[in-house]
Amino acid sequence: MGLLQYLAKLNLSYVIVKYFFYVPFGLWNDLVYSEVNIINVIRFINIGTLLFVACMYLYMIYFIYGYRKPRLASYIPCILLVIQLILYDPEIYRELYKITLSLNILGYDAFNSLYKSFYSFTKVYNLLMLIIPLIFLIMEFLRRKNLPIIREYYFFNLVGLLCIITFHLITFSWAPAILVSIYQRTTYLIYEQPKMIPSYIYYIYPYLSVFCFTIMLFATLKYKSLKKVYSSEHHS
């Protein structure tokens, strides 16, 4: 919904938007004429994207550790997600540019180049936060050959995770992003259109997300209950 609100504030044609999303014309008009602050919409998109990365990462970490408490180091990668949330805020972006301009630290091109480098780095970083725990989860699945029932629910969990992460990366590969640029030598913000792919995936993404999360919830609850049974049998 945040992405739709942002596209509405860019005054995109309904014909273009309908190519990506199924949205009634009446609803689109309401979004276009709503009095929502576009900067807050950008913040909402970035918060949602970073929360997805953090939740998926922590979910996989807790699933790998089971009932053991995850090490403190497991939480450290989330610190950069908070830094991204701060640096991708349009107002902070503008203030940083004003500071570098007034102090003559960086020129216009150097400032934008630095932000682009940070953006490229965070795209890879966020991807690794999803891929590395997923690899460990697959290794755990392969390791549990003697526990076929638990292995089965590991499989369901992996299917749900792979689907939701894959479709998220396809549809929101550009996020989080600053989504603004500054007109040279001024502090005027220019809002940019995200790099979306022309695909039917945007239509099915909400339904697919609910389906995948349901599978993951079912697998997690079953896995936890079975693990309790195995643990009690092992100690008795």
Side-chain angles (χ1 to χ4, degrees), residues 7-49:
L7 296 176
K9 288 301 176 183
L10 292 182
N11 291 322
L12 289 184
S13 168
Y14 177 69
V15 176
I16 297 175
V17 173
K18 193 170 64 172
Y19 185 62
F20 294 97
F21 302 96
Y22 172 73
V23 51
F25 184 71
L27 175 59
W28 178 249
N29 270 346
D30 291 340
L31 292 174
V32 170
Y33 294 109
S34 64
E35 297 180 358
V36 177
N37 188 322
I38 191 170
I39 290 179
N40 287 336
V41 175
I42 294 173
R43 289 169 178 159
F44 177 78
I45 293 171
N46 288 338
I47 289 172
T49 305

